[in-house]
Amino acid sequence: SYPQVEELGVNPNYYDLIVNTKDINTKFKSELEKLLNVNIPETIQNRSHSNNIEITNKEIEYFKDFYKEDYKYYGEYFYDSK
């Protein structure tokens, strides 16, 4: 996965709505229903049943550096932008 700024650019104000995927059934769905004047069923989340993934601090720092531009311009839309 490449940094989002490569596709989205660096100006989040260009967009009417930016939604975290965790908000698909709340924010995004309600906005789309209003726009289209239809009722949309909730989406089903496919989740792994394993919670055994461990990420080291070194790996976290690597990804924060790799996506530093995303954090800079879109970090407020992430749940954990620390």
Side-chain angles (χ1 to χ4, degrees):
S1 177
Y2 55 90
Q4 293 297 296
V5 294
E6 291 184 21
E7 185 70 29
L8 302 176
V10 297
N11 184 3
N13 294 320
Y14 178 78
Y15 300 97
D16 293 326
L17 180 66
I18 298 174
V19 179
N20 189 295
T21 54
K22 292 182 179 181
D23 295 324
I24 292 292
N25 281 318
T26 56
K27 293 179 186 177
F28 180 71
K29 181 177 166 283
S30 65
E31 288 297 317
L32 200 55
E33 287 175 332
K34 281 190 266 182
L35 180 67
L36 300 174
N37 196 29
V38 297
N39 289 324
I40 299 171
E42 288 196 15
T43 61
I44 298 171
Q45 295 178 346
N46 292 326
R47 292 187 177 202
S48 172
H49 295 289
S50 173
N51 292 326
N52 297 332
I53 299 172
E54 292 185 29
I55 301 172
T56 67
N57 286 336
K58 186 177 179 179
E59 291 168 327
I60 291 170
E61 291 308 313
Y62 169 83
F63 286 111
K64 283 186 177 182
D65 182 57
F66 185 80
Y67 294 108
K68 67 183 168 204
E69 295 293 306
D70 288 350
Y71 279 95
K72 179 178 179 180
Y73 297 105
Y74 296 96
E76 69 183 89
Y77 302 99
F78 301 163
Y79 277 105
D80 184 8
S81 60
K82 297 176 185 172

